[in-house]
Amino acid sequence: PAVARRQAPFESRRRLKPVVLPHPDDAERGAEAARLLRSPSACRPDPSLLPKTFSLQVLGRLDDCEGTGADTKPAWLRTPDDIEPVALDSAAADEIISDLHSSAESSVEVAVQCMRGHDCEGRPAASQDNYSVTHTFGDTTVYVVCDGYGPLGHISAFRVAQSLPKFVLDALQLDELTESLEEILISGFDAASKDLIEYVSEHGLDLCGSGTTLSC
């Protein structure tokens, strides 16, 4: 099955997205995805995918879920002090991300722009892309950008934008690091792929022809 595809860390590469040809089963897979997204819990962040230690996370929301069909992607804000995630519009999410780097006195400037596209007939299409910015205490921040494709692309991107920061940050916070940073990232990509396969299998979804490209 097509799952999360990784780019080798620390290498400059063209961003490649698989070409997915239409398949007779795509309509059925799309209907399965729509059925899953009618469940409120599927549209919200998974608490089990929070890193063990972090200070703040901004996560893009699923398009067309809970009435989020805006041109720019709204987001969720998660902190250790809030049991439930807080809904943000895109402007508020971008402001929080900008303030995060201002307060850290970082020379890095970060902005987010994630917009829905249009189909071949010019009609608005659901955004299959997603992102997350996860900051832990100190100067460590994990940035994840997902480009979903196929009937379950939006679900794949939403899941992986949550799982990868957890796998990477949990590994970095071990008392004794046995892997280099590059090895931790590669292991995180592999774990995110495995988690995505398990997630769709638990919900009876067919991941064939779907997945997400991923940069971190």
Side-chain angles (χ1 to χ4, degrees):
V3 293
R5 300 171 181 237
R6 70 175 180 234
Q7 293 180 337
F10 314 123
E11 293 185 14
S12 176
R13 293 189 172 188
R14 273 192 316 156
R15 177 172 158 274
L16 300 178
K17 184 172 182 178
V19 176
V20 182
L21 299 177
H23 189 279
D25 295 335
D26 282 354
E28 181 179 347
R29 292 173 183 143
E32 292 174 349
R35 184 172 63 252
L36 170 64
L37 297 183
R38 283 196 290 270
S39 168
S41 61
C43 297
R44 299 174 70 82
D46 187 338
S48 70
L49 295 180
L50 281 173
K52 293 178 181 178
T53 303
F54 77 108
S55 61
L56 178 151
Q57 182 180 75
V58 177
L59 167 71
R61 293 170 67 182
L62 269 173
D63 201 20
D64 290 331
C65 217
E66 296 184 346
T68 63
D71 286 339
T72 55
K73 184 176 287 293
W76 294 107
L77 172 64
R78 302 206 280 182
T79 67
D81 297 330
D82 294 319
I83 298 176
E84 294 295 328
V86 178
L88 304 172
D89 61 25
S90 59
D94 193 41
E95 183 177 354
I96 288 174
I97 293 171
S98 297
D99 289 346
L100 171 66
H101 292 83
S102 298
S103 61
E105 297 183 353
S106 172
S107 60
V108 177
E109 294 185 5
V110 178
V112 174
Q113 182 67 277
C114 189
M115 300 182 67
R116 60 164 48 193
H118 296 79
D119 62 19
C120 58
E121 297 181 2
R123 295 172 300 193
S127 171
Q128 293 185 304
D129 305 334
N130 218 312
Y131 73 93
S132 63
V133 176
T134 309
H135 183 69
T136 188
F137 300 98
D139 61 354
T140 302
T141 305
V142 176
Y143 305 89
V144 175
V145 177
C146 298
D147 187 355
Y149 60 89
L152 304 184
H154 51 323
I155 294 174
S156 301
F158 185 59
R159 183 73 184 182
V160 173
Q162 299 174 72
S163 63
L164 183 61
K166 174 179 174 57
F167 296 136
V168 171
L169 287 175
D170 285 357
L172 288 173
Q173 291 161 4
L174 294 175
D175 291 335
E176 294 185 9
L177 291 179
T178 58
E179 296 180 306
S180 67
L181 177 57
E182 183 174 357
E183 290 171 332
I184 287 174
L185 288 172
I186 292 173
S187 297
F189 274 79
D190 291 339
S193 290
K194 181 180 179 181
D195 172 79
L196 176 59
I197 293 173
E198 293 176 350
Y199 176 76
V200 297
S201 297
E202 289 173 0
H203 290 86
L205 301 176
D206 184 358
L207 195 60
C208 183
S210 295
T212 181
T213 59
L214 176 60
S215 295
C216 177

